[in-house]
Amino acid sequence: MLRNALVSFLILLSSGGAGLVFGQADAAIKPVYLAGDVVSLGDKKITVNDAKAGAVELTLTDKSAYKKVSAENASLTAATPGQLTEIGVGDRLTVSALPSADGKGFTARTVYYMTKADIDAKNKKEADAWRTRGITG
């Protein structure tokens, strides 16, 4: 009985050590979430004016995913697949990104975007509804 317990303990100890040795090396790298308006678009690069960090350059890769968020339902979970070609200057972005190796920029993983035209249409609809209902309801 004592021998079985000792063997089990040694197996548990060695498997824990193996997990530390063979674990993921990039586990400490966590994504950063940036949100802001598109300032400029380039070849595989987008510059976003983030409220906290200022102008931030994002590098796009073939693995970057693009998802369009509806102005009516701004939930990121309700976003539909989109394309980079649909993004323009003035659009609103929320980006999940990893810090680049040089530490100067970020590599985009998932780009959630809402077009400026969709935002303007929603704002116009709300203004019209306010004019109709007004203060008196």
Side-chain angles (χ1 to χ4, degrees):
M1 173 99 170
L2 181 62
R3 181 175 178 207
N4 288 340
L6 184 62
V7 169
S8 297
F9 177 73
L10 289 176
I11 290 173
L12 179 67
L13 185 64
S14 64
S15 65
L20 289 175
V21 172
F22 297 110
Q24 293 181 356
D26 293 343
I29 299 175
K30 298 200 178 190
V32 175
Y33 293 93
L34 304 165
D37 296 328
V38 176
V39 176
S40 68
L41 290 165
D43 186 38
K44 295 291 184 178
K45 299 229 183 255
I46 295 179
T47 303
V48 176
N49 189 14
D50 183 62
K52 295 178 185 174
V56 177
E57 186 173 276
L58 300 166
T59 303
L60 306 172
T61 65
D62 295 334
K63 293 181 181 180
S64 297
Y66 306 96
K67 299 197 179 227
K68 185 173 184 176
V69 178
S70 168
E72 299 299 323
N73 182 5
S75 171
L76 297 182
T77 57
T80 58
Q83 297 179 354
L84 174 60
T85 56
E86 297 174 341
I87 300 173
V89 174
D91 291 351
R92 184 84 177 148
L93 299 183
T94 299
V95 183
S96 168
L98 295 174
S100 61
D102 62 3
K104 295 181 180 177
F106 296 92
T107 302
R109 295 180 344 154
T110 306
V111 178
Y112 297 94
Y113 64 95
M114 188 180 303
T115 64
K116 185 176 181 181
D118 289 346
I119 295 169
D120 290 342
K122 181 182 180 212
N123 290 342
K124 183 182 180 317
K125 183 178 174 183
E126 288 176 355
D128 290 343
W130 178 254
R131 248 183 257 112
T132 302
R133 289 191 312 259
I135 295 175
T136 59

